[in-house]
Amino acid sequence: MEVSNESAIKKPKRLTSIVWNHFQRIRKADVCYAVCVHCDKKLSGSSNSGTTHLRNHLMRCLKRSNYDVSQLLSAKKKKKDTSLSIANVNANYDEAQRKDEYIKPTIIKFDHEQRKDEIISLGSCRFDQERSRLDLARMIILHGYPLTMVEHVGFKIFVKNLQPLFEIVPNSSIEVSCIDIYMKEKQKVYEMINRLHGRINLAVEMWSSPENTDYLCLIAHYIDEDWKLQQKILNFVTLDSSHTEDMLSEVIINCLMEWDVECNLFAMTFDDCYADDDIVLRIKDRISQNRPQSSNGQLFDVRSVAHVLNLIVQDAMETLREVTEKVRGSVRYVKSSQVIQGKFNDIAQQIGISCQKNLVLDSPTRWNSTYFMLETVIGYKSAFCFLQEHDPAYTSALTDTEWEWANSITGYLKLFVEITNIFSGDKCPTANIYFPEICDVHIQLIEWCKNPDDFLSSMTLKMKAKFDRYWSKCSLALAVAAILDPRFKMKLVEYYYSQIYGSTALDRIKEVSDGIKELFNAYSICSTLVDQGSSLPGSSLPSTSTDSRDRLKGFDKFLHESSQGQSAISDLNKYLEEPVFPRNCDFNILNWWKVHTPRYPILSMMARDILGTPMSTIAPELAFGVGGRVLDSYRCSLNPETRQALICTRDWLQVESEDHNPSSALALYAEAN
């Protein structure tokens, strides 16, 4: 019997689903069918079959026309307010469908006559075009989205359906909004920095780009009034391709003057251990014209410990390069097929290897991954030697001497991996944490140089030469920071220097003691400036009389300096003579100094500045990277002013939380090199 001859069954009241507007229910004998009114397809119409299969057919039916798919979705999800346009854009309509039923990406129109600052009332909601535009700009800044996202079709559809009254602004307008936000936030940061009672420390980082453009990033590190370690990106400057060392120092000086911090600068940390010393001298001379030099000159020039460790590791990696290539070849051979992998596992099991780690290839740009590869392969040394004897296809075998070199150098790398993990894993990397770790490196390098193997000893001599250059510049700063840790004081310096210097240790210890006393004297001279209305420890001493002919001005200054110097030495002695604080894992040095500031008023001033010195200038994400920091391609394409505005403002807008690590502020912009 044909469908046309079948009798239609009147739909009972319970058939209230919207799908029955598109189906006719037909009974044939004892079987019910649901016939699509668009394509005449028969589907099960039994009450036990439900309507899901009917909805699915409607979503696929090519002959349907002029019905609302979003109503089907809303009936299923019970969300009757779903936008008609969103569903229509996703549906596959015939060309004959009415154009006004959905929003086409190519014909989005906006009311350009609407004032940007107009607030429109929609029931209980109020829409503010200007506020929404600034919110969009802040979102782009904070999450590193490209400015061109406002021109993407998908973004326009989303925003128009979400808020039809929002006027989509062009890329250039969003860029202007970002610059406006940058200027407002910059003023806030400027006022905050210039209200600090302590000094700031400046980290100087060099970046590059795939187009070989160089960038200079200046980051202020400081401890705030609540004794929290903070940092702010001050500048991200695009350097001219023809810049020289003289120009680099001028760029840094101009940035310092722009922020008015040249008189309030304690130390500068350069990421390059081999940065030209003349750059530092020129900067030091310029800022010394505006204030007296109040600290030991050696404390002003600091080099990044993470970078010197990377340089030392690269010497080891280069020395072991040929052996490492053989190790990579061995791993590739074992993992080349399941048959060989199974054979290798059987060999390891038969000869009793207990190593549970799987063989894995390294990433050549991450030296810690090379260490893990070497460490694992060494654990399977016996299996590889057995494979060499019984498998002629295995051609990457190591000699006995090469196995010894790999084992020794892997042991060296283990120390650097552990120390780098300590530095990069600390959420509050105050300057006191570095001295004991660097002293351990120093002691190990001395021992490694005594290796009777010429191959290994020549390698470690190169490593130690680089370390010695770093140590000569930064050992005093590292030691002073450790002395300001109440768990260590001078005792830690005495402990390590006796191992490092042997018979000359007392002379070296005295150099450190004299250096910290000199620094205390400088702080003590300026300590009363806070009471006299100045918060800058390095400012010039004010005159006690307005009479330019007062012949006793010099006496007033002498009296001030001598009396304050005596109290400073007393303050220092009191701290050093008291017992060290017990070591425990929950110790927070900044909290300790916050509590003990009334007891050591001058010492705490110096502790704030010293402990805030960035001894390392590399983000945790980049700690094991072989290459330098490279700016991503998108931000390289921006003009210099916009680039600096986006990078600096993102840092300033970041919400502080327990999980936020300030040292990763620039990780978003880095590419693997």
Side-chain angles (χ1 to χ4, degrees):
M1 180 181 291
E2 299 297 332
V3 172
S4 58
N5 296 329
E6 296 169 352
S7 59
I9 301 176
K10 185 178 181 181
K11 291 189 295 181
K13 286 186 177 181
R14 63 185 180 87
L15 298 178
T16 57
S17 174
I18 194 174
V19 299
W20 292 109
N21 293 334
H22 305 272
F23 288 91
Q24 184 178 15
R25 200 176 189 201
I26 304 296
R27 179 184 296 277
K28 181 180 179 182
D30 294 332
V31 180
C32 289
Y33 295 99
V35 181
C36 178
V37 299
H38 305 293
C39 65
D40 294 331
K41 183 172 182 178
K42 292 182 182 180
L43 299 168
S44 174
S46 171
S47 59
N48 296 328
S49 301
T51 58
T52 300
H53 64 297
L54 304 181
R55 289 193 182 92
N56 293 337
H57 169 74
L58 286 179
M59 298 301 294
R60 296 189 299 267
C61 182
L62 299 179
K63 293 187 177 182
R64 70 188 186 279
S65 62
N66 296 331
Y67 75 91
D68 190 4
V69 176
S70 67
Q71 292 182 17
L72 299 176
L73 298 176
S74 64
K76 183 178 181 181
K77 299 181 180 180
K78 298 183 179 180
K79 294 181 180 179
K80 296 183 179 180
D81 295 331
T82 302
S83 171
L84 300 180
S85 58
I86 296 176
N88 289 331
V89 169
N90 290 310
N92 182 20
Y93 283 88
D94 294 333
E95 292 183 358
Q97 183 179 8
R98 290 180 297 122
K99 295 182 179 180
D100 58 351
E101 288 188 8
Y102 67 103
I103 299 175
K104 287 185 177 180
T106 56
I107 58 171
I108 296 178
K109 297 181 180 180
F110 305 100
D111 183 8
H112 295 288
E113 300 299 323
Q114 177 187 339
R115 293 193 328 228
K116 293 183 179 180
D117 58 348
E118 181 180 3
I119 299 177
I120 302 174
S121 177
L122 294 175
S124 60
C125 300
R126 293 174 63 82
F127 171 68
D128 187 337
Q129 169 70 23
E130 180 68 14
R131 177 177 177 179
S132 298
R133 180 178 60 82
L134 291 175
D135 286 343
L136 174 59
R138 287 190 183 91
M139 179 188 72
I140 289 174
I141 293 172
L142 188 58
H143 299 289
Y145 298 143
L147 293 171
T148 53
M149 70 171 290
V150 298
E151 299 176 353
H152 295 171
V153 171
F155 176 78
K156 290 181 178 181
I157 295 173
F158 170 75
V159 171
K160 198 63 180 177
N161 288 331
L162 186 67
Q163 176 50 267
L165 298 177
F166 180 72
E167 178 184 352
I168 299 290
V169 293
N171 182 2
S172 57
S173 296
I174 284 294
E175 185 174 356
V176 171
S177 298
C178 291
I179 297 295
D180 290 342
I181 295 173
Y182 164 71
M183 297 304 296
K184 292 178 181 178
E185 295 299 323
K186 182 178 180 180
Q187 183 63 29
K188 295 178 184 178
V189 175
Y190 175 88
E191 294 173 357
M192 180 274 300
I193 287 181
N194 284 273
R195 286 196 305 266
L196 292 174
H197 286 182
R199 299 184 186 179
I200 69 166
N201 299 277
L202 196 69
V204 182
E205 301 182 1
M206 298 300 298
W207 286 62
S208 63
S209 73
E211 294 77 21
N212 295 322
T213 303
D214 292 326
Y215 307 96
L216 177 70
C217 182
L218 300 181
I219 307 176
H221 295 250
Y222 58 91
I223 295 175
D224 63 20
E225 300 310 304
D226 197 35
W227 285 89
K228 302 292 184 183
L229 184 62
Q230 306 286 356
Q231 70 176 43
K232 298 288 183 184
I233 300 176
L234 300 185
N235 296 92
F236 196 89
V237 183
T238 304
L239 299 176
D240 187 86
S241 58
S242 61
H243 82 275
T244 62
E245 300 294 349
D246 290 339
M247 294 175 61
L248 184 61
S249 60
E250 286 299 318
V251 170
I252 296 174
I253 291 169
N254 290 337
C255 291
L256 293 174
M257 297 178 67
E258 175 188 352
W259 289 92
D260 288 337
V261 295
E262 69 275 11
C263 296
N264 198 26
L265 185 64
F266 179 76
M268 297 186 67
T269 303
F270 291 82
D271 59 2
D272 184 3
C273 189
Y274 295 107
D276 192 345
D277 293 340
D278 290 339
I279 297 176
V280 182
L281 291 175
R282 281 190 290 268
I283 296 172
K284 189 186 299 183
D285 290 342
R286 286 288 296 273
I287 66 175
S288 296
Q289 297 173 7
N290 299 320
R291 66 170 177 85
Q293 184 68 35
S294 61
S295 64
N296 188 295
Q298 188 178 1
L299 297 177
F300 181 81
D301 181 11
V302 180
R303 304 302 166 95
S304 172
V305 63
H307 286 78
V308 74
L309 292 182
N310 266 331
L311 288 174
I312 292 173
V313 167
Q314 294 315 308
D315 278 339
M317 300 295 290
E318 178 60 27
T319 302
L320 199 65
R321 180 171 54 84
E322 293 183 4
V323 176
T324 303
E325 285 298 330
K326 285 189 175 182
V327 170
R328 290 192 185 104
S330 298
V331 174
R332 289 193 187 99
Y333 178 74
V334 170
K335 298 177 71 67
S336 61
S337 71
Q338 292 183 354
V339 174
I340 299 177
Q341 178 75 68
K343 178 181 177 182
F344 183 82
N345 292 340
D346 292 339
I347 293 173
Q349 186 176 5
Q350 291 173 9
I351 62 180
I353 293 178
S354 59
C355 182
Q356 299 298 319
K357 297 180 180 179
N358 295 323
L359 294 175
V360 61
L361 282 172
D362 66 328
S363 172
T365 60
R366 303 282 296 176
W367 61 265
N368 61 328
S369 70
T370 303
Y371 159 73
F372 291 127
M373 179 187 71
L374 292 171
E375 182 187 44
T376 303
V377 167
I378 289 172
Y380 287 98
K381 174 185 174 181
S382 300
F384 279 107
C385 292
F386 188 91
L387 187 66
Q388 176 185 0
E389 297 175 358
H390 296 84
D391 189 347
Y394 173 45
T395 59
S396 299
L398 279 69
T399 66
D400 291 341
T401 301
E402 288 173 335
W403 278 114
E404 292 177 4
W405 291 344
N407 186 56
S408 296
I409 295 179
T410 301
Y412 300 168
L413 294 177
K414 181 179 180 180
L415 174 65
F416 295 113
V417 169
E418 292 173 349
I419 290 178
T420 304
N421 280 331
I422 291 173
F423 294 160
S424 61
D426 197 312
K427 292 186 178 181
C428 185
T430 47
N432 60 299
I433 70 173
Y434 295 90
F435 181 75
E437 306 298 337
I438 296 304
C439 285
D440 279 341
V441 172
H442 199 166
I443 293 170
Q444 289 300 319
L445 285 171
I446 293 173
E447 292 299 317
W448 296 342
C449 288
K450 300 176 183 178
N451 196 305
D453 188 302
D454 293 338
F455 177 83
L456 296 175
S457 61
S458 62
M459 177 196 72
T460 52
L461 284 172
K462 292 179 182 178
M463 297 164 66
K464 190 173 185 301
K466 291 180 178 175
F467 178 86
D468 287 344
R469 178 167 181 173
Y470 167 80
W471 181 258
S472 65
K473 285 183 174 296
C474 302
S475 59
L476 180 60
L478 293 168
V480 170
I483 293 170
L484 291 173
D485 190 325
R487 300 170 297 172
F488 303 140
K489 301 187 179 181
M490 282 295 299
K491 294 298 182 181
L492 191 67
V493 177
E494 296 169 0
Y495 169 74
Y496 276 114
Y497 275 28
S498 63
Q499 300 179 63
I500 294 172
Y501 294 110
S503 59
T504 62
L506 291 178
D507 295 334
R508 298 290 187 171
I509 293 171
K510 186 177 184 302
E511 291 176 3
V512 175
S513 179
D514 291 344
I516 195 169
K517 288 178 181 178
E518 180 184 353
L519 185 60
F520 269 103
N521 286 335
Y523 268 82
S524 66
I525 290 172
C526 302
S527 62
T528 58
L529 291 179
V530 175
D531 296 331
Q532 296 177 359
S534 174
S535 62
L536 302 180
S539 300
S540 302
L541 291 172
S543 173
T544 58
S545 171
T546 58
D547 185 2
S548 61
R549 300 181 63 184
D550 185 357
R551 298 181 183 276
L552 294 180
K553 281 184 178 180
F555 172 74
D556 292 337
K557 183 176 180 180
F558 167 77
L559 184 65
H560 170 80
E561 292 177 354
S562 59
S563 62
Q564 293 300 316
Q566 293 172 0
S567 66
I569 296 299
S570 175
D571 197 18
L572 174 61
N573 289 340
K574 179 171 60 176
Y575 169 78
L576 293 178
E577 291 172 1
E578 292 176 346
V580 296
F581 193 81
R583 289 199 306 125
N584 61 75
C585 58
D586 296 328
F587 179 76
N588 186 312
I589 190 171
L590 297 184
N591 285 345
W592 191 94
W593 277 106
K594 179 180 180 180
V595 171
H596 289 81
T597 294
R599 181 172 176 80
Y600 308 109
I602 299 173
L603 193 60
S604 63
M605 290 171 57
M606 196 190 69
R608 187 195 300 271
D609 299 336
I610 288 284
L611 296 176
T613 303
M615 295 297 180
S616 181
T617 62
I618 195 166
E621 297 83 358
L622 306 174
F624 295 100
V626 174
R629 283 161 294 201
V630 181
L631 198 65
D632 64 75
S633 300
Y634 162 67
R635 285 164 186 83
C636 289
S637 66
L638 300 172
N639 68 66
E641 292 76 16
T642 303
R643 182 187 304 115
Q644 176 171 251
L646 293 177
I647 292 177
C648 291
T649 312
R650 177 182 183 268
D651 177 65
W652 302 338
L653 292 179
Q654 280 181 329
V655 178
E656 297 294 336
S657 66
E658 291 183 357
D659 296 330
H660 173 58
N661 189 340
S663 64
S664 63
L666 284 170
L668 176 67
Y669 307 110
E671 285 185 345
N673 188 9

